[in-house]
Amino acid sequence: MAEFKKTAMPVTREEDYPQWYLEVIKAAELAENSDVRGCMVIKPWGYTIWENMQRELDQMFKDTGHTNAYFPLFIPLSYMQQEADHVEGFAKECAVVTHHRLRQTEDGKLVPDGELEEPLIVRPTSETIIGASYAKWVNSYRDLPILINQWANVVRWEMRTRLFLRTAEFLWQEGHTVHATQEEAMEETTKMLYVYKEFAENVLAIPVIEGEKTESERFPGAVSTYSIEAMMQDKKALQSGTSHFLGQNFARSSKIKFQSREGKEEFAWTTSWGVSTRLIGALIMAHSDDNGLVLPPRIAPVHIVILPIYKDEKEKETVMDYISGIKKEISGLRLYDRKIVIHIDERDIRGGEKNWYWIKKGVPLKIEIGPRDVEKNTISVVKRTDPDLKKNFVSKDEFVKELILTLTIMQDELFKKADSFQKENTFEIDDYNEFKKVFTPKNEEKPEIHGCFARSHWCGNRKCEEAIKDELKVTVRNIPFSEKEIEGKCIYCGNKSSKRVIFAKSY
Ligand SMILES: [Zn+2]
């Protein structure tokens, strides 16, 4: 008889991956759908994760010479029209403000009133509105470079939404820089892509593949777009950050001009780059298991949760005294510049329920302390990364002494696990039948986890790319920097190809 293993999530990853994803979010209280179609409510646990991401990224931006500023939420319609490709890319998903007040009708209903002369668009991205300011700020080569980042919300009217991965409104950061030369702008584009890679791998413990997007997946209006792509546990790719080299396209449309050193008037070179709350979706799908959320220590809202166990007031006093001693000992410790966060759960609820509550929320270390632990100067620890969630009894002093090392190892283990998973599910595929087989689910009704990252040759022709997309819903994720020039045959048409690319299904 097969062993029956009970899990905290009502469905496992194997049973129904998309549903499992939603259950993890629900159980961990990360976010929920709002009454406004397509918009999510990010709950405190989810928002703290976002704040932790912001803090880490913000420091990395500042370390690379950037500062923050803030630009308007509304973009005049005429600004959007300036860049033709940009219009085409975003027109279908714009929220448009057409009126500026409400009027009450005789039967008490509110109706929009005061039509605007020029409609305003709620920013889907800010190249054009920021460009308008930059045009005023830049006169001479001495004004360059401009290295600014904005933390903001944006709106892209999505009809089919999924929490964190695709919502009408989402939070993000968008970097917008201006440079005097093409080389400098290109260097910035690459630099920020590597900032994202470092962040994804070191802080989120998610291995990513960096490379260039194909023309069809390019940011509307960009000369070239670069991405980092991560593999989720269902073997689909999640684009986790993008950096765009905009050439002089946006400088031309926004009229960002400057006097060069030689006294000539030139258009500037611009870049933009961004990551969003989508990364929370990546975090969930890269690490979580059938018991709920698993968080890398560096991003966890709480590092350690302590559950006191006592039967009466006298025991309570002893146990709580002991816990405040531990808290004091740990209070000075830091994991990568962040103070260790301890939460003591004193709620009056059943022990079992309390236990699972924190497992589902993904807190790295869960500690139980009862009167007997106080006597023996021990504690019982459960690591969230341990698939068996085994209780370990250790001496308190040892625990405190080893704490930072323990958390660092856990962080490392999560990365290694995700990295092995990605490597084990990445294949060189040169035969289209084999390619088709890998990307075709066995049960069309309820598709099971399937697919991979296929390193295959592609001739560079858009037609092959589209044909594969239509047939299998598989796209070129990016053309990795790490792939060497090597002669081969396009997986679809058999024509000459000089490089392998990453094909996968994606979010
Ligand atoms: Zn081809």
Side-chain angles (χ1 to χ4, degrees), residues 457-461 463-465 490-495:
H457 275 282
W458 172 56
C459 62
N461 191 327
K463 278 186 188 153
C464 295
E465 197 185 4
C490 174
I491 186 82
Y492 194 75
C493 70
N495 283 346

Side-chain angles (χ1 to χ4, degrees), residues 485-500:
E485 294 273 331
I486 184 164
E487 216 170 280
K489 283 180 183 161
C490 174
I491 186 82
Y492 194 75
C493 70
N495 283 346
K496 233 179 170 183
S497 150
S498 62
K499 228 180 181 188
R500 289 180 185 276

Side-chain angles (χ1 to χ4, degrees), residues 309-323:
I309 297 164
Y310 45 76
K311 285 200 294 284
D312 50 41
E313 279 305 308
K314 193 169 157 277
E315 281 189 5
K316 180 178 176 180
E317 208 186 309
T318 320
V319 169
M320 294 313 289
D321 261 5
Y322 186 70
I323 289 174

Side-chain angles (χ1 to χ4, degrees), residues 131-320:
S133 289
Y134 286 177
K136 289 179 208 149
W137 298 351
V138 176
N139 290 305
S140 141
Y141 69 92
R142 294 182 198 90
D143 301 325
L144 299 174
I146 295 182
L147 306 170
I148 288 179
N149 173 62
Q150 159 167 277
W151 289 99
N153 58 340
V154 284
V155 170
R156 295 177 187 176
W157 214 260
E158 296 277 1
M159 297 313 282
R160 294 176 55 209
T161 60
R162 190 155 9 167
L163 291 171
F164 293 117
L165 300 175
R166 201 173 285 281
T167 48
E169 181 193 14
F170 58 89
L171 305 181
W172 78 345
Q173 60 70 216
E174 47 183 325
H176 294 272
T177 69
V178 191
H179 308 265
T181 65
Q182 176 174 3
E183 295 69 41
E184 208 187 294
M186 200 52 232
E187 193 188 313
E188 167 81 7
T189 310
T190 316
K191 183 196 286 175
M192 298 324 285
L193 188 74
Y194 277 100
V195 164
Y196 291 152
K197 180 180 166 74
E198 193 187 325
F199 171 74
E201 298 194 334
N202 295 348
V203 181
L204 305 182
I206 303 175
V208 294
I209 295 171
E210 66 278 18
E212 183 173 356
K213 285 294 211 189
T214 65
E215 191 193 341
S216 64
E217 303 248 334
R218 204 174 275 161
F219 177 75
V223 172
S224 50
T225 285
Y226 303 84
S227 74
I228 51 169
E229 303 280 334
M231 182 185 276
M232 303 294 101
Q233 290 180 77
D234 61 350
K235 303 177 194 175
K236 281 191 188 170
L238 191 123
Q239 178 178 294
S240 308
T242 47
S243 187
H244 316 291
F245 171 64
L246 305 175
Q248 293 176 308
N249 294 351
F250 284 88
R252 269 179 219 282
S253 56
S254 299
K255 304 195 172 52
I256 309 172
K257 287 183 280 191
F258 69 99
Q259 285 269 319
S260 73
R261 217 177 277 266
E262 292 76 33
K264 273 201 309 202
E265 189 172 72
E266 287 178 20
F267 282 111
W269 300 82
T270 65
T271 83
S272 67
W273 27 273
V275 297
S276 72
T277 34
R278 203 165 205 241
L279 282 176
I280 300 178
L283 195 64
I284 297 164
M285 287 199 286
H287 301 306
S288 300
D289 62 19
D290 296 335
N291 287 320
L293 191 63
V294 175
L295 289 170
R298 286 191 70 176
I299 213 72
V302 168
H303 297 105
I304 307 167
V305 63
I306 303 181
L307 314 184
I309 297 164
Y310 45 76
K311 285 200 294 284
D312 50 41
E313 279 305 308
K314 193 169 157 277
E315 281 189 5
K316 180 178 176 180
E317 208 186 309
T318 320
V319 169
M320 294 313 289

